[in-house]
Each structure stands twice: as C-alpha cells, then as structure tokens.
C-alpha cells in the first residue's frame, strides 16, 4: 500500500520562544524533528519496516537495556482511536536533551511519521491528516506516552505535548540498506525519492540516514548513494550511515540536523559506517576491559552480589557525569595553562618596555592591549553569546589567545610577573651601564688583562655585585675588544707618525728581506712610546700589525691601506665621478665631433617661450657676421631653434641639412624646466630604440638656467637644485646664469666653452695632488675650488683638466689627485709639480708628507695645510694645530697655504 503524503507548503512558526542558539549554561534550544521513510502494507514495505522506530528508540533511550527491537504497526480500530495513536499516522516519542561536541545543549522533540494498518482489513486507517511529510502535528488529547512502544505503552512515563501541537523544524529521511523479503530496492528508491522531493519543498533542513548498515547489502548501499547524488539533492542533503542495533551513528544525524537548523558555522564531523563502527567497538572494548579490571580489583568474594557490590545504574551515572566534568575542567585548565605560557611572549611584543606604560592597573592594561595596532595578531574576540571556553578542542585551529581569558586571575598574575621582569631588566640595564662606565673610568683595566686580575677592584660595587657572572664577563669582554681595537689603532698611528723610519724599506727589491736587525732598529725607536707599551700583553698582535705595515709600505694597495675601506684613492674616484663633467663621454660619437681644422659650428638651442630665440640673439649680438673666436680660431656659427614637441619630425635635433655639434637647453622657470626635462627624456627613450645607445646619440649638451626676475629667491634655489640634479643624471655641464651679474660677452664665451666640442689635446701642465688616507677633513671640500672651476673636465678616473689663464696665455692644466701611497703609480708620468696636503690635526699626516717629499726630485711643491675649520685662526685655537702649522711652515720644501 502506498503512503499518501502532503504536497502543501506551510509558513511555519516555532512553538517554543527560543530564537537564538543556546550555549552551555544558557536557555536550552528546542528542536522539533520528524523521522520519515517507507511505510505501508507488506506489499509496499515488505515483511519488515525500514527501521524508523528502532532508530527513534535508540536515540530516545540509548541505554542497552532500554532498546527494544519489536515495534508493531498493525492495530485494531480501538487502538488506533485510543489515546496513544488518537487517529493520527504519527507517534510522538517525547523530548530528550543532548549536548553537542561543542558544548551546545539541544532539546529534541521527536515525531515518527508512519502509517498504521488495520488488523482486520490490512489497509491503512483513515483518520487525522495522513502523510509522510507533515510540518504541523496536532492532537486534541495532550497526554501521550513518552517514547511510545505500541502494545507496552503503559511501561513508559507520560509526557505532555506542548499546547497539543508541534511544528517540525527539520526531517530525518530513512533508507533501509538491508535485504527485506517482498520489498524491491526499486520500490524503496522510488518512494524515498518522492519523499525527498516533497521535503525539499518545505525548505526545511534534511538529513538522509541509511539504516541497518550492520546487515547492509552492497548493491543497496550503492543505490542509496546514487539516490542522494542526484542533481536535485546533491550538496544540499548530508548523508549518515547508521545502525540502531549496534548503536552506531545515531546521535550524529540528529546533531547535524540541529546545527543545520541553527545555521551554525561549526558542523559535526560525520564518519562512515565502517569508521564509526570501529570507533564504537574500541570504546566498548575499552569500557569492558576497564570494567573487568574494576571488578577484579574490588570483587574478590565469589559470593558477592551485584546490589551489594556496585552503586547501581543511577550511582554509576552520577560517577560518570562527575568524571566527565572533571575531564572537561582538566581540559579547560590545560588550555588556560597553554594560554598563560603564550601570554608572556605576547606581552613582551606589545608591552616591551616599562616606560611604555603610564598605568600598570591590569584593567587599564587590557584596554591598552585592545587598542594596540597588532591586537588581532595575538588575540581574538568571541561573540557575546559564545563563551571563550567553548572554543576549546583538539580540532580548533585558532592559535591566538581569547581576549576574555585576560579576565582570569592567572592572566593578571602573568602580567604582574611581566612587570617584575621589566623592572628587573631595567635595573639590570642600569647596572650594566654603570659597570661599563666603571671599566672606562679605571686605569687598571688595560688591553689583554683578564677580569680575574682586576676583580678585587670591583668588590663591593653594587653594579658589579648585582650582575651575574655571565653579564660581568660579557661586558668586560666587550670593553676589552674596544680597548684592543683602540690600542691597535693608536699603535698604527704611531707607525704612521714615524714615516721616515719606514720609508727606506719602500725601495727594497721584491726579493729582499727585512732582517731582525731592521726590526730591532724600529722597536728601539718605538718602545718608549705608551702606544707601544700598552700592547705588552698582546705582543703577537703588535708584531702582526708591524709586519702588516711593513708589507703595505713595500707594496701599497688600497685593500691593505690602514684607512680601508676609506682609502683616499677610493674616495677621490667617487667624488670625481659624481662632481666632475665628462666631456669625453659626449664625444664618443664622431657624427657630432668637430676637429680643429673645421670652422663650421652648428648650435642646437632648445627652450620654451622665446628662451631659445633670445639666447640665439645674444650669441649673434657678439658675432661679426655669425663668426666667433674660440681659442684664437674663428668659427662660423649656424643655429637651429626648437620650442615644440621634440617627438615630431619637424622638431628633430638633426635634419638632412643640419648636423649640430652641440646643444644649449635653456630654462628660466618651472614651466620651461619641465619642458626641457620632458623633451630630453623623450629623446633618451627614442635613442634606446636605435643602434646608437649613447645619450642623445652622443650630442654634447649644456643645461642653462637663466634667472627669471619675476620669481622669488626660494623658487630660484629650487630650480637651480633641480637643474643641477638633472645635469648630474645626464652627466652634462650645468650653467647658473644671473643676467644682472654677467655681461653678454661673458655669457656667450662661457656657454661655448662649456660645450667642449673641440677635440681634446694633451695638457700643458701636469700636477699631482697627494692627500693622506684617514685625515679628518672633507676631501670634497679640498677639491671644491678645482671642481667648481668654470672649465673643469674629468680626464680620467683620478684626474681632471682645468682650462685657465696663466699670465696672458690660456693653458690646460691636468691635476692628478691621489693618496700618498697611490702616487707611486704615476712616477713614470711627466709631472711639473706637486701639491701636498696634510691635516693640522694629525701628526702622521705631516710626517708622511715630509717623508714623501724627501724623494721628490727638484720640482715645485705647494703644501696645503687643512684645518677643516677656522682657517689660519686654528693656529691660536688648538695646540696640536699650532705645532703642526709651525712645523709645516718650517719645512724646506716649498710654499705653504692654510685652508
């Protein structure tokens, strides 16, 4: 017989007032569940049912002795109309409270929807509202048997159905996977499919449960899986494999449905029947073993009786609940202890210093932590309706600390301990600082002396007594390293101050050796100096420094320079590379370069708002018939003016009938500067697409700033700085021109000379400037007068060429800038003179200069004494400067200049 089912949908309202998910300790959440499945006469359901009643029975009465496998559905008309069934095709099993793994309490009200068969006609009774899918249950009689077993219902406690009605919140749909005579699998699949389709229309959560898996047929199991994998059911209805007889996966189906009804994010994990049965067996085996051990220990009399030996069911349940509570408390305490282990590190990160805190009250500190930018990295906050203790569990992936745990006394104790640690650390740091100062103040601590040798000097000092042995030794060792490094530096300075003593070793042949007599001669001179004696305990280090110095004198390279990595040769090359112009880099392309026998000079002038036209007019004004004299030779000038978009063909730098030899880029304000900058960038980008990768294809360029009288001084400074930066990046000359301070003749002359389009020739005069490595002055300041010269160009990595007038003649002067030890590389050069630089604040500087000058042949020497501040007044302000300036003046090697 087919079971009729209702196709009507209902807009339901729950009968209980609870509308939020209840947590442990809050109001219990009520869930109304209906269990549905194949029912009817034997030709529909076979010789046995699908297991709905056993499933409900096992859930409502999980104890083994309460489980009953006999459930009848064949009744007399009197039974069907009686108080138990009351003319309806459903049974109300009553209520039961269950707790999920997350600690959430649910009260389940359970209805089994079925069809009862008349024992006379073997047809379903007609009465009430028939249907396997009903969302509302109602009885006029409100007293019903709890967990009713038809036929033995008087053995069960009575339970009142609230208000005589009950609204269904969700459905459990049952599918039997065992073989039952007179029932085909196709019949059950068809029936359950129809039920599921009607359940979906109710829009209520559904859980699909297979029953009797302990007797499962593999083919039936596959059909059950195929059914729930249909497109209309897939991913919307979870599946649970159960066995009421073996009590496997019974509660999990109800809990999963409750979580779906409550729409919680946390869902119980569903194990397959095989896995769940194995877990169940392990639990039962462990319980049996434990119980047998308990009996073996406590029951030793063979005449003992159950009632005399054990507590009984209620007593054992109380003991069990007490044990479970103890386990939960232990788990909570373990988790809290874990958080307390984490908290000191978190406080160390968020509250690293005692001075960070303005208020050490624990409540204020919690607010400080909550407002910290990194709060969420270390803490998390739970919703108000979920206590933090309920988030515990082995499967919880949260590694941060619940913020609510800070309300515990354990957390406050951790914080107080943290404050104590901070205070002790602050005291410790102060003691370490005091001990370091004590070491610096005492003269008894010398390089190489062990702490044990001076320990008695510190006895009774608080900073020494309060620190641990490890801290004292660590501070002392660090102080010793400073002393030793300082002593080595001073000894190195002593060696440099006796440059004359070492200079003759410079000429020793590579195969020559330094004898013990040489070493004795050196040490005899040095041994009375305190800088020599201070290393008495470190004689090996002293000898090593001496031998290294001798090796550097004999074969000087910058990597072995005492001032390395600040060797003057490296500093000089960096300064010249960034501050001096590179005319040769613009002349690599012969297409622009003009030779001295060519008298045609083509000028390209780039500028916005008539700036280019005005500059061309100024140049023309200084020419006779566009001819101009450069270095005693006349050149015929031609011009190309550009003041538009340089990417357009008619604004190209080069045309078929005009090949420029040089270009002036002129600006006077922010607008015209941006035009110059953008135009040059466009040309550079276009160069990258051509074979010639030189900037502007090698065209020499001069960047020129003509002051606009309409802009203020601050803007002038900014434009000047922007222009210089652009010129530095392009490695081209920069001219800062104030028309009120220069004549047009001087402007044109300077501009044409800056182009450097004439081929370079050998310098007329070559000078070597030597500086001592490690001197306390700015090399850039010393070179500034040369680098700022109007006609100064870089001729090599370590030399510059100046074009200047000497008397009535214009000369090219090459200045080779080098360290004293690096000057040996230029001994084969034709040199006309030397500029020797020394610091008036360092004896070794003048000593090296003096020793170096002894080997200079009869050439002019200029001595430059650098005070770095004060000029000649340093003579009166510093005793050492006074001595060194006087000694420099008395040197019989040349004239002297003080800077």
């Amino acid at each position: 017989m087919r079971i009729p089912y209702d196709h009507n949908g209902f807009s339901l309202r729950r009968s209980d007032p609870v509308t939020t998910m209840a947590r442990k300790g809050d109001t219990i959440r009520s869930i109304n569940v209906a269990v549905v499945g194949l029912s009817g006469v034997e030709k529909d359901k076979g010789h046995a049912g699908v297991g709905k009643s056993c499933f409900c029975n096992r859930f409502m009465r999980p104890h083994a002795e309460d489980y009953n496998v006999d459930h009848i559905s064949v009744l007399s008309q009197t039974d069907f109309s009686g108080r138990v069934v009351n003319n309806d095709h459903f049974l109300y099993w009553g209520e039961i409270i269950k707790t999920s793994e997350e600690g959430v309490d649910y009260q389940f009200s359970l209805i089994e929807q079925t069809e009862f068969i008349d024992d006379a006609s073997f047809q379903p009774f007609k009465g009430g509202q028939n249907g396997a899918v009903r969302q509302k249950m109602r009885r006029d009689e409100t007293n019903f048997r709890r967990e009713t077993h038809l036929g033995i219902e008087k053995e069960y406690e009575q339970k009142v159905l609230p208000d005589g009605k009950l609204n269904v919140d969700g459905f459990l749909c049952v599918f039997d996977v065992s073989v039952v005579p007179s029932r085909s699998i196709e019949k059950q699949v068809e029936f359950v499919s129809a039920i599921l389709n009607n359940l979906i229309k109710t829009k209520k959560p559904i859980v699909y449960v297979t029953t009797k898996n302990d007797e499962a047929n593999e083919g039936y199991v596959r059909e059950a899986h195929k059914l729930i994998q249909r497109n209309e059911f897939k991913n919307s209805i979870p599946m649970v494999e159960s066995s009421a007889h073996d009590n496997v996966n019974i509660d999990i189906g109800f809990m999963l449905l409750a979580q779906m009804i409550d729409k919680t994010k946390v869902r119980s994990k569903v194990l397959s029947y095989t896995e769940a049965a194995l877990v169940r067996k392990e639990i039962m085996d462990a319980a049996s073993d434990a119980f047998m051990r308990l009996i073996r220990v406590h029951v030793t009399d063979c005449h003992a009786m159950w009632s005399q030996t054990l507590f009984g069911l209620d007593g054992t349940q109380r003991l069990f609940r007490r044990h479970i509570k103890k386990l939960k408390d232990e788990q909570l305490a373990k988790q809290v202890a874990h958080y307390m282990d984490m908290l000191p590190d978190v406080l160390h990160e968020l509250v690293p210093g005692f001075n960070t805190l303005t208020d050490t009250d624990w409540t204020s500190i919690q607010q400080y932590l909550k407002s910290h930018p990194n709060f969420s990295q270390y803490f998390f906050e739970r919703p108000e309706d979920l206590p933090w203790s309920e988030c515990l569990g082995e499967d919880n992936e949260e590694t941060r600390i619940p913020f609510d745990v800070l309300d515990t006394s354990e957390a406050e104790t951790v914080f107080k301990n943290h404050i104590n640690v901070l205070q002790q650390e602050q005291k410790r740091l102060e003691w370490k600082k005091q001990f370091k100062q004590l070491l610096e103040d005492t003269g008894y601590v010398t390089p190489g002396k062990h702490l044990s040798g001076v320990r008695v000097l510190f006895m009774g000092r608080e900073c020494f007594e309060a620190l641990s042995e490890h801290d004292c030794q660590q501070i002392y060792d660090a102080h010793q390293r400073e002393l030793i490094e300082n002593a080595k530096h001073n000894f190195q300075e002593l060696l440099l101050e006796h440059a004359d003593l070492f200079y003759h070793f410079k000429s020793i042949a590579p195969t020559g050796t330094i004898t013990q007599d040489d070493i004795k001669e050196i040490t005899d001179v040095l041994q009375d100096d305190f800088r020599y004696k201070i290393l008495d305990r470190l004689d090996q280090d002293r000898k090593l420094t001496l031998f290294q110095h001798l090796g550097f004198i004999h074969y000087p390279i910058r990597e072995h320079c005492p001032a390395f990595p600040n060797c003057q040769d490296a500093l000089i090359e960096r300064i010249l590379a960034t501050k001096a112009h590179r005319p040769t880099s613009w002349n690599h392309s012969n297409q622009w370069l003009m030779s001295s026998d060519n008298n045609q000079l083509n000028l390209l002038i780039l500028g916005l708002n008539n700036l280019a036209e005005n500059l061309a007019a100024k140049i023309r004004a200084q020419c006779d018939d566009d001819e101009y004299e450069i270095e005693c030779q006349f050149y015929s000038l031609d011009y190309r003016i550009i003041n538009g978009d340089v990417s357009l063909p008619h604004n190209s730098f080069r045309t078929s009938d005009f090949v420029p030899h040089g270009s002036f880029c002129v600006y006077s304000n922010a607008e015209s500067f941006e035009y110059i900058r953008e135009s040059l960038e466009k040309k550079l980008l276009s160069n990258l697409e051509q074979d010639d990768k030189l900037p502007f294809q090698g065209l020499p360029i001069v960047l020129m700033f003509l002051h606009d009288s309409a802009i203020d001084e601050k803007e002038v400074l900014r434009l000047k700085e922007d222009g210089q930066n652009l010129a530095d990046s392009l490695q081209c000359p920069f001219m800062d021109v104030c028309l009120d301070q220069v004549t047009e003749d001087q402007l044109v002359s300077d501009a044409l000379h800056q182009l450097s389009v004439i081929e370079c020739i050998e310098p007329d005069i070559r000078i070597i400037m030597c500086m001592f490595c490690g001197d306390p002055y700015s090399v850039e300041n010393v070179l500034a007068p040369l680098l700022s010269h109007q006609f100064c160009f870089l001729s090599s990595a370590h030399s510059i060429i100046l074009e200047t007038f000497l008397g009535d003649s214009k000369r090219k002067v090459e200045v080779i800038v080098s360290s004293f030890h690096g000057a040996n590389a230029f001994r084969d050069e034709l040199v006309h003179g030397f500029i020797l630089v020394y610091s008036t604040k360092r004896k070794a500087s003048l000593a090296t200069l003096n020793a170096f000058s002894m080997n200079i042949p009869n050439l002019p020497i200029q001595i430059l004494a650098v005070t770095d501040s004060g000029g000649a007044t340093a003579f009166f302000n510093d005793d050492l400067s006074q001595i060194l300036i006087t000694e420099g003046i008395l040197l019989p090697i040349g004239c002297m200049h003080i800077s």
Side-chain angles (χ1 to χ4, degrees):
M1 177 179 179
R2 293 289 301 271
I3 298 178
Y5 41 84
D6 193 350
H7 292 276
N8 296 324
F10 294 89
S11 176
L12 298 182
R13 213 172 34 189
R14 296 244 311 274
S15 61
D16 62 283
V18 182
T19 57
T20 59
M21 184 173 68
R23 305 301 173 195
K24 193 171 182 180
D26 295 342
T27 305
I28 297 175
R29 171 74 159 91
S30 295
I31 302 291
N32 302 324
V33 179
V35 177
V36 300
L38 176 64
S39 298
V41 297
E42 185 170 318
K43 74 172 185 175
D44 292 322
K45 68 178 180 62
H47 290 325
V50 296
K52 296 193 302 297
S53 297
C54 288
F55 185 74
C56 295
N57 186 181
R58 179 65 85 178
F59 177 68
M60 298 300 294
R61 298 176 65 82
H63 299 297
E65 60 269 25
D66 291 336
Y67 179 66
N68 194 318
V69 298
D70 295 322
H71 302 277
I72 64 173
S73 61
V74 179
L75 305 175
S76 67
Q77 181 63 51
T78 303
D79 289 331
F80 183 73
S81 303
R83 297 179 62 195
V84 175
V85 180
N86 197 22
N87 298 308
D88 269 312
H89 285 278
F90 72 86
L91 282 178
Y92 177 57
W93 286 79
E95 304 97 24
I96 188 171
I97 295 176
K98 299 268 186 172
T99 303
S100 71
E101 293 179 353
E102 293 73 34
V104 181
D105 289 339
Y106 293 100
Q107 177 177 289
F108 291 92
S109 296
L110 182 58
I111 302 100
E112 176 191 351
Q113 297 192 30
T114 185
E115 279 193 326
F116 295 105
I117 309 301
D118 190 332
D119 60 357
S121 65
F122 290 99
Q123 296 297 317
F125 285 103
K126 297 182 187 226
Q129 289 183 319
N130 295 341
V133 182
R134 295 179 55 193
Q135 301 182 69
K136 289 189 176 183
M137 309 297 163
R138 183 175 182 85
R139 293 265 180 88
D140 295 330
E141 172 64 62
T142 58
N143 283 328
F144 298 96
R145 305 293 181 182
R146 184 174 185 268
E147 298 124 0
T148 304
H149 294 257
L150 295 178
I152 54 174
E153 60 270 13
K154 293 183 179 180
E155 298 180 12
Y156 295 93
E157 171 190 359
Q158 287 190 348
K159 186 69 177 179
V160 178
L161 180 66
D163 300 328
K165 60 183 178 181
L166 188 144
N167 297 329
V168 176
D169 295 316
F171 295 90
L172 287 170
C173 183
V174 171
F175 188 100
D176 185 359
V177 294
S178 67
V179 177
V180 175
S182 302
R183 184 209 302 163
S184 67
I185 185 63
E186 293 80 11
K187 188 72 173 178
Q188 184 176 200
V189 168
E190 178 186 357
F191 195 95
V192 173
S193 174
I195 291 177
L196 290 175
N197 280 310
N198 281 278
L199 291 178
I200 288 176
K201 295 177 183 178
T202 68
K203 299 182 179 179
K204 296 299 180 68
I206 308 164
V207 173
Y208 178 64
V209 180
T210 60
T211 57
K212 304 183 188 179
N213 277 273
D214 54 303
E215 301 175 357
N217 177 277
E218 290 185 7
Y220 286 16
V221 171
R222 285 195 298 271
E223 290 298 325
H225 280 268
K226 285 170 59 178
L227 171 61
I228 204 62
Q229 289 297 321
R230 292 181 182 179
N231 291 335
E232 60 266 34
F233 309 137
K234 191 174 183 180
N235 297 328
S236 62
I237 303 177
M239 177 177 175
V240 178
E241 299 174 325
S242 71
S243 168
H245 289 355
D246 290 345
N247 197 10
V248 174
N249 274 352
I250 301 299
D251 286 4
I252 189 66
F254 288 89
M255 283 298 173
L256 185 58
L257 182 63
Q259 291 165 348
M260 294 170 65
I261 293 170
D262 259 349
K263 299 180 180 179
T264 62
K265 293 182 180 179
V266 179
R267 297 289 168 87
S268 298
K269 182 178 180 181
V270 180
L271 299 178
S272 68
Y273 175 77
T274 303
E275 295 173 321
L278 180 60
V279 172
R280 173 72 177 169
K281 182 179 184 304
E282 291 174 350
I283 293 173
M284 296 303 294
D285 291 346
S288 299
D289 292 344
F291 186 67
M292 290 306 301
R293 286 196 300 271
L294 182 66
I295 290 177
R296 283 194 295 269
V297 171
H298 295 283
V299 182
T300 57
D301 184 359
C302 65
H303 301 289
M305 300 182 66
W306 174 269
S307 59
Q308 297 172 338
T309 306
L310 300 177
F311 294 102
L313 183 59
D314 292 340
T316 53
Q317 286 181 338
R318 284 194 300 273
L319 290 176
F320 179 76
R321 287 193 295 269
R322 188 182 306 167
H323 179 64
I324 292 299
K325 183 179 183 303
K326 180 182 177 183
L327 291 177
K328 289 183 177 180
D329 290 344
E330 289 175 351
Q331 182 188 16
L332 178 62
K334 181 180 178 181
Q335 190 66 35
V336 170
H338 173 65
Y339 290 142
M340 294 306 103
D341 290 340
M342 296 169 57
L343 190 56
D345 292 336
V346 174
L347 292 175
H348 180 74
E349 290 294 326
L350 302 186
V351 191
F354 188 72
N355 296 331
T356 308
L357 307 175
T358 56
D359 187 354
T360 57
D361 176 68
W362 180 227
T363 303
S364 301
I365 295 302
Q366 291 183 59
Q367 294 303 316
Y368 169 81
L369 293 175
K370 195 170 185 179
S371 62
H372 197 281
N374 296 331
F375 171 80
S376 59
Q377 182 179 346
Y378 300 101
F379 297 97
F380 69 93
E381 294 186 274
R382 282 285 176 175
E384 294 181 359
D385 60 341
L386 181 63
W388 66 267
S389 57
E390 295 192 10
C391 70
L392 306 181
E394 295 180 357
D395 296 334
N396 185 17
E397 297 179 356
E398 182 61 72
T399 59
R400 297 173 297 171
I401 300 174
F403 185 67
D404 291 342
V405 83
L406 299 186
D407 291 332
T408 62
S409 59
E410 292 93 335
E412 185 173 5
T413 300
V414 170
F415 171 72
K416 289 179 179 178
N417 292 337
H418 177 66
I419 291 296
N420 291 334
V421 170
L422 291 180
Q423 291 172 336
Q424 290 300 316
E425 183 61 22
Q426 191 175 33
K427 289 182 180 178
R428 178 170 167 265
L429 292 175
E430 184 61 32
W431 287 329
K432 291 173 73 172
K433 183 178 178 181
Q434 292 176 6
F435 184 52
K436 180 67 167 67
Q437 189 62 47
L438 180 62
L439 293 176
E440 292 175 356
D441 293 341
T442 180
Y444 294 101
V445 179
T446 56
K449 185 175 288 188
H450 295 291
L451 176 60
S452 58
V454 292
R455 178 183 297 275
V456 68
L457 301 174
F458 309 132
M459 302 298 290
R461 298 293 187 101
E462 182 186 15
C463 60
F464 179 73
E465 300 288 353
L467 290 173
S468 67
E469 180 69 23
H470 174 74
D471 284 342
C472 290
Q473 189 65 56
Q474 192 178 46
I475 296 169
Y476 187 85
D477 290 344
H479 182 66
Q480 272 292 319
R481 287 193 293 271
E482 292 177 10
L483 288 179
I484 292 171
E485 287 302 316
N486 190 48
K488 287 181 178 179
H489 173 76
N490 290 336
F491 181 63
Q492 180 69 64
E493 195 70 9
L494 174 63
L495 300 179
L496 294 172
E497 290 177 9
H498 289 79
D500 56 335
L501 185 63
F502 293 93
Y503 199 83
H504 72 276
F505 292 111
K506 189 177 185 70
S507 58
I508 295 179
T511 56
T513 58
I514 298 175
T515 65
Q516 287 295 328
D517 291 337
D518 296 328
I519 300 299
K520 185 177 184 307
E521 177 186 345
I522 294 171
T523 55
D524 286 344
V525 175
L526 303 178
Q527 63 185 358
D528 292 332
D529 194 288
F530 80 95
R531 291 170 289 184
Y532 181 91
K533 295 178 180 179
I534 199 72
L535 289 172
D536 283 347
R537 286 190 177 83
L538 302 167
D539 186 54
Q540 290 302 317
D541 290 340
R542 184 168 57 190
K543 288 181 178 178
L544 178 61
T545 303
L546 176 59
F547 291 143
Q548 287 176 341
H549 184 67
L550 286 167
F552 174 71
I553 293 296
H554 179 58
Y555 185 67
I557 58 175
R558 67 178 65 177
E559 288 76 17
H560 296 164
C561 175
F564 185 80
N566 295 317
C567 175
Q568 292 287 32
D569 290 330
L571 295 176
I572 289 165
E573 288 182 5
R574 286 201 295 269
I575 293 171
L576 294 184
T578 56
K579 298 299 180 181
H581 301 314
R582 293 177 176 267
T584 54
S585 68
W586 303 102
N587 294 337
H588 287 168
S589 180
N590 292 330
Q591 62 177 320
W592 313 106
L593 186 64
M594 60 180 296
S595 61
S596 57
D597 57 355
N598 181 14
N599 63 353
Q600 178 65 41
L601 180 58
N602 295 333
L603 299 179
L604 174 72
I605 306 179
L606 182 68
L608 193 65
N609 299 331
N610 297 321
L611 284 173
E613 291 87 343
N614 293 340
L615 179 60
K618 292 181 185 299
I619 297 176
R620 280 196 175 99
Q622 300 302 315
C623 300
D624 293 329
D625 297 328
D626 282 333
E627 287 191 348
Y628 191 82
E629 182 182 0
I630 303 177
E631 297 187 353
C632 303
Q633 184 169 350
F634 285 93
Y635 292 89
S636 179
L637 304 184
D638 194 9
Y639 311 92
R640 176 168 171 77
I641 309 298
I642 298 178
N643 54 17
D645 188 349
V646 297
S647 62
L648 300 177
H650 65 273
N651 286 325
S652 174
F653 281 15
R654 177 177 178 174
T655 67
S656 59
D657 56 355
F658 185 88
V659 179
H661 299 105
S663 174
F664 292 113
C665 299
V666 191
Y667 73 95
S668 63
N669 51 34
E671 180 187 9
S672 54
F673 175 76
E674 284 302 312
Y675 168 74
I676 293 296
R677 184 182 61 78
E678 291 178 3
S679 297
L680 295 179
E681 286 180 356
K682 288 180 181 178
K683 294 304 293 182
L684 281 173
L685 290 175
S686 67
N687 289 162
L688 296 177
E689 301 174 358
Q690 302 177 19
D691 294 336
D692 189 351
K693 297 297 192 295
L694 288 172
F696 315 111
Q697 297 176 298
L699 176 67
I701 286 179
V702 173
L703 189 61
M704 185 181 297
F705 175 36
L706 298 179
H707 291 198
D708 188 336
S709 58
I711 59 178
D712 57 30
E713 184 177 352
K714 183 181 292 186
E715 182 69 4
V716 169
L717 292 175
R718 189 184 69 79
L719 289 170
K720 180 180 177 181
E721 182 179 359
D722 290 346
Q724 184 64 66
N725 291 336
L726 179 59
D728 290 344
S729 64
L730 298 175
Q731 294 186 340
C732 72
F734 173 71
M735 293 183 64
D736 175 26
V737 180
C738 182
L739 295 177
D740 296 336
Q741 299 177 6
V742 298
T743 64
E744 291 188 355
D745 182 32
Q746 183 181 355
L747 169 63
V748 174
S749 174
D750 292 349
L752 292 174
H753 276 88
Q754 287 283 12
L755 278 177
S756 299
V757 295
I758 311 300
E759 287 182 323
C760 294
I761 59 176
E762 281 295 313
D764 302 306
I765 300 174
R766 180 176 283 113
I767 297 172
I768 296 181
M769 173 184 277
C770 297
M771 289 181 277
F772 188 52
C773 296
D775 272 359
Y777 53 73
S778 168
V779 177
E780 187 172 339
N781 288 345
V782 173
L783 296 177
L786 303 178
L787 297 176
S788 62
H789 193 277
Q790 188 172 2
F791 304 113
C792 172
F793 305 106
L794 185 67
S795 56
S796 72
H798 43 258
S799 64
I800 54 177
I801 290 181
L802 306 176
E803 291 184 357
T804 186
F805 282 92
L806 298 179
D808 295 332
S809 302
K810 191 172 187 180
R811 294 288 184 267
K812 287 183 172 61
V813 180
E814 183 177 26
V815 180
I816 300 172
V817 190
S818 169
S819 66
F820 280 103
H821 65 77
N824 190 53
F826 309 105
R827 60 187 174 185
D828 296 331
E829 299 279 351
L830 175 61
V831 178
H832 300 91
F834 286 83
I835 300 175
L836 306 182
V837 185
Y838 78 97
S839 170
T840 62
K841 298 180 179 180
R842 190 180 180 199
K843 291 182 179 180
S845 184
L846 181 59
T848 301
L849 182 153
N850 192 22
F852 181 86
S853 66
M854 294 296 101
N855 199 39
I856 293 178
N858 296 324
L859 292 175
I861 297 176
Q862 169 78 50
I863 299 175
L864 177 61
V866 181
T867 63
D868 214 26
S869 63
T873 59
F875 183 85
F876 306 100
N877 298 332
D878 183 85
D879 292 340
L880 179 59
S881 293
Q882 183 177 355
I883 295 172
L884 295 182
I885 290 173
T886 302
E887 291 180 359
I889 294 173
L890 297 177
L891 287 177
I893 56 176
C895 57
M896 178 176 175
H897 178 72
I898 301 175
S899 174

